[in-house]
Amino acid sequence: MSLIEVRNLSRLYHMGEETVYALRDVSVGIEKGEYVAIMGPSGSGKSTLMNLIGCLDSPTSGEFILNGIEVSEMDDDELADVRNRQIGFVFQTFNLLARSTALHNVELPLVYAEIDSETRRERALEALGQVGLGDRVTHKPNELSGGQRQRVAIARALVNRPAIILADEPTGNLDSKTGVEIMALFEELSSRGNTIIVVTHEEEVARHARRIIRIRDGLIAADERISPEDRIQVGQS
Amino acid sequence: MRQAEVKESFVMALDALRANKVRSALTLLGILVGVFSIIVVMTAIRVMQDSVESSLSQLGANTFQIQKWPSMRVGGGERDWQKYFRRKDLTFDHANALVERVTRAKSIGVDEGLWSAEVISDYAETNPDVRLRGVTPGTFPGKNWVVESGRSILDADVDSNRRVCVIGAPVAKKAFPFGSPLGQTIKFHGIGYVVVGVLEDMGSSFGSEQGNFVLIPLTTGLNRYGWKRSLDFVVQAKDQASFDDVQSQVRGILRTIRKVPPGEEDDFDMVSNDSLITQFRSVTLAVRAGAAAVSSIALVVAGIGIMNIMLVSVTERTREIGVRRAIGAKKKNILLQFIIEAVVLCQVGGIVGVVLGILGGNLTSLFLQLPPSVPLDWALYGLLICSAVGVVFGTYPAYRAAQVNPIEALRYE
Ligand SMILES: Nc1ncnc2c1ncn2[C@@H]1O[C@H](COP(=O)(O)OP(=O)(O)OP(=O)(O)O)[C@@H](O)[C@H]1O
Ligand SMILES: [Mg+2]
C-alpha cells in the first residue's frame, strides 16, 4: 500500500446558494520517499488538496488513507495527533512565532508530542543543524533573513520525524536565489529518504521534483514523472 | 495537564505580556485595585487585631472580669446607655461575698482606676499620665502582674488602709532613675505612699507602655477618692476545666446578693479575653464586609477588562493559533494556553496588589506604633481569587481561540 492513498476525494464549499467544487473525485497515490510537485493555476484546488493530505481538513466524500491509517473519518483530536506525528508543514509565509527563538519554534511540535524537555532540545538542535542553522538557534525570526526563517520552518517540519513534508509555495516569499537554496535543501531532505510534496506556481520550482501532478478546476489534469535529464538539480557541494 | 505544556503556556503568556506592556498594565490595574483594597484592609485589621488581642490578654489565663459597664459596645445608643446606668454599683461588699462563697476560684480581686496624675519622688517627676489603682491581693494573678522586687499588696494593707504602693516598671524607671525605689516614698495627688514592691516590665501595646501605674490598697484609695463607685472584679479560675463552673458560680452568687429576679438578664457584665476578642472581631466584621464588597466589584470590573483584552489577543494571534493547530495542538491545548494566559495576567496584577496591600495596611502599624503584620493567609486568598478571576473571565476567550478553524487561521492576514 502507498504512503498516501487518495480515493475519489471531493471537497465542496457551500457559498450561500452556490456550491463550489474545490476538488472533485480526485484519486492519487504517493509512495514513501517520493518528491512530488503539485501545480496548477490559482483557484484550481492545490491548497485544498494539501489541507486534506495535511489532515487540516476533512473531505466531503471519498477516502484518504495515510500511512495505512484511514483518516477521513477521524475526529478533531485524532487529526491533531496525526498532524503532529505524520505531517510537517512548511508555509509560504513561514508562520514562525515572532517572539520565540529559532530553537523554541522548532521545539514546538515536540511540546505537543509530549516529549521531555531534554530530548526536545536535543532533537530541535539536530533539526536546526540539518538545515544549516546550528549557529542561529537563539535568534528570533526578526533577526533572521527570509531564507533563514524558511529554514527554521523546515527544521520545525522535520523535528518530529514526520512521514511527509508538505510545503505550500515555500519559495513564494523569497527572491529567486534564496528560493533555489531552499529547493536545494528539499532535494537534500528527499535524498535522505523524506517524502516531500511541494505546491508551486512555478515550473522552475516544480522541476526540482521527480513527479508533477497538475490540477485544474479541482481535477487531476496530468500526473507525470520527470526524467532525470529534465530534472533541475542544484549542485551539491 | 502536562507540565511542559503548562510551562510553554506560561512562557508564552509572559512574552505576550511583555510585548504589550501598556495594554497589559492598564488591564492589570483593575485586578491590582481589587486585590489591593481587600488586602490593605485585611492587613490593617490584622495589625490591630494582633495588638488588641495581645493587650486584651493583659488578663491572665482562665480569668474573667466583672464590671458594670460593658467593655465594647456594638451599636446600642441612648437606651442601652440608660440600661447600664441604672445598674446597681458593684461594691467591696459584693467582692468580699464572692471571696467567701466562691469555692473553685484561684484568686478573686478588685481593680479600680482612681486618678491620673504625675508621680513625684525625691529624685524625679513623671509625666502626669500615671494611673492610680486601688487593688486587693487577689487582683495580681488575674492581671498577670508579677512582683519583681519587694512584695505585693497584702490583706493586712487593705484591712488597715496602709499608705503603701506597688509601682509598675515604667514608673520605677522614671521616678527612681538611679537606685531602688523600695522603701522610698512617692507623692501622688498630694499624698505620700511608701513603695513596697516593683512589678516586672510588661512591654508596650498600641504605643503605650504597660504598667504605667501605681497600685495601692483598695481601701486606702476608696477612703481618699470616695466609696460611691462601681468596682471591677477580677476572678481567676484554677484551670480551663473549671472556668465555666467558676463563671456560673460567680454569676449565681452575684445575682442572689444583687437580687436579680430569675429569668431577668444579669445586671453586670462578665468579660474574658475570649469574649473581648470575639467582640472586637464582630466590630471589625462590618469593615471587612465593606472591603470585600468594594473589592468584589473591582474584581468583576477587572475581570471584564481581562476578558476584553483576551478577546483582542485571540483575534490578533489567530495566525499563531493556526500554526499551533497545524503542528499538532489540540483544541484543549489552545484552550488551556489562553486560560493560563488570563490567569498569569491576573496573577501579575494580583501579586503587585498583594504586595502594595500589605505595605499599605502596615502603614497603620507605623501610625499606631504597632508591630507590623504579614497576613500570609490573605496573601494566598488574594492570589487564589486572582486565579479564579482569570479562569472565570479567561474561559470564554480561550474557548473562542480553541474553536478557530486552523485553515482559516493560517490564511488570516
Ligand atoms: N473556505 C472556503 N470557502 C469557500 N470556497 C473556498 C474556500 N476555500 C477555497 N475555496 C474555493 O475552492 C477553490 C480552490 O481553492 P484553493 O485555495 O485550493 O486554490 P489554490 O489552487 O490553492 O489557489 P492559489 O494558487 O491561489 O493558492 C477556489 O475556487 C476557492 O475559491
Ligand atoms: Mg493555494
Side-chain angles (χ1 to χ4, degrees), chain A residues 76 83-84 95 104 111, chain B residues 2 8 319 324-325 327:
Chain A
D76 203 80
R83 286 198 295 275
N84 185 251
N95 282 336
H104 183 234
V111 170
Chain B
R2 282 174 338 100
E8 157 78 16
R319 219 168 222 279
R324 286 178 187 274
R325 296 280 277 125
I327 63 178

Side-chain angles (χ1 to χ4, degrees), chain A residues 13 15 20 22 40-48 169 201, chain B residues 408 411:
Chain A
Y13 289 108
M15 305 281 289
V20 181
S42 190
S44 55
K46 305 183 295 292
S47 294
T48 305
E169 304 270 12
H201 273 107
Chain B
E408 274 157 32
R411 267 208 305 248

